[in-house]
Amino acid sequence: MIRDAVGVGVAVGGYGVAFGAASISAGFSPAQTSVSSLLTFTGGTQFAIAGVIAGGGTAAAALGSGYLLGARNTLYALRLKPVLGVRGWRRAVGALVTIDESTAMALGQANPGLSRLAFWWTAGAVYFFWNLATVLGALGAQALGDPRRFGLDAAVPAAFLALLAPRLRARAVPDNARDVSRGAGAVPRQTAAVPRRVALVGAIIAVALIPVTPPGVPVLAACLSLAVVIDIRPLRRRP
């Protein structure tokens, strides 16, 4: 299990290089980029903030986009609270490192003891490699000069596409969290269309608003696609 946790840390941490480069291209300094990974530590949120700022959006729009993407970690924390049983300052540390990977590894174990061990090993491994890669990406991008000369300004959309692609290709959902941690299975055929519908509706909303709204607003508005898809599905089931 520890070997799996470290493997997850190495694999996920590699994305930190892309974030470091993207943050520099958005105008942040290496120090600001590093602090973002140290204190925020959720890739989707960090990429969203860098992307909105790079596009000329306001701080409010950037933080709003980041908050919406990171809100799922709150649900993870509620699920993990009885498993981890942490108190005091350890609770704050646990909240910081409650992410997709640490949650999946924790919920995929046979007993609470192993769950706690998997959570902390995975969280520590991802945290270490993500922050190391962030520093390397930021310093590398700064040394190269203008990121646009090397196409590094496209790092944010490229990273988001890399995160999105597996969800759009999903076919069958794992029977339990253990399968998730092992990478087995994906979304069931009857529900596989839901992520695609959300992505399609979100893309339509964003494209329609880009010409008429400030940067960042289309991203926030695209989140309405989730509510639209969820609201439509029950209506289709009614006789």
Side-chain angles (χ1 to χ4, degrees):
M1 180 273 296
I2 294 177
R3 182 176 59 185
D4 291 340
V6 175
V8 170
V10 173
V12 175
Y15 281 103
V17 174
F19 169 70
S23 183
I24 295 299
S25 70
F28 293 100
S29 69
Q32 291 171 324
T33 300
S34 181
V35 169
S36 173
S37 284
L38 287 169
L39 300 182
T40 305
F41 188 54
T42 173
T45 294
Q46 292 176 246
F47 274 114
I49 292 174
V52 172
I53 295 298
T58 64
L63 293 175
S65 300
Y67 174 81
L68 289 173
L69 286 171
R72 69 188 186 283
N73 293 345
T74 303
L75 302 178
Y76 296 161
L78 293 174
R79 176 65 179 85
L80 289 173
K81 181 180 178 181
V83 176
L84 299 179
V86 290
R87 298 177 182 275
W89 64 269
R90 292 182 180 84
R91 177 177 294 183
V93 174
L96 174 65
V97 296
T98 297
I99 55 175
D100 297 336
E101 294 77 18
S102 60
T103 300
M105 287 292 288
L107 297 181
Q109 306 308 312
N111 61 67
L114 286 176
S115 292
R116 287 190 289 271
L117 193 64
F119 175 86
W120 290 113
W121 268 97
T122 304
V126 175
Y127 190 83
F128 174 78
F129 287 108
W130 175 263
N131 281 280
L132 176 62
T134 294
V135 172
L136 295 177
L139 293 178
Q142 186 182 50
L144 291 174
D146 185 358
R148 291 173 294 182
R149 289 192 304 158
F150 303 94
L152 294 180
D153 53 327
V156 173
F160 269 121
L161 287 176
L163 294 172
L164 177 65
R167 289 163 174 77
L168 298 182
R169 293 196 302 263
R171 283 291 181 274
V173 154
D175 292 332
N176 52 46
R178 180 174 309 227
D179 293 334
V180 174
S181 65
R182 293 177 179 173
V187 185
R189 193 172 295 273
Q190 64 268 26
T191 62
V194 175
R196 298 181 188 132
R197 290 171 185 162
V198 171
L200 178 60
V201 175
I204 293 173
I205 293 174
V207 170
L209 292 180
I210 285 174
V212 295
T213 60
V217 173
V219 177
L220 292 172
C223 295
L224 295 174
S225 62
L226 182 60
V228 170
V229 172
I230 290 176
D231 286 343
I232 289 177
R233 291 180 67 204
L235 293 175
R236 291 180 175 177
R237 295 176 183 173
R238 294 175 186 174

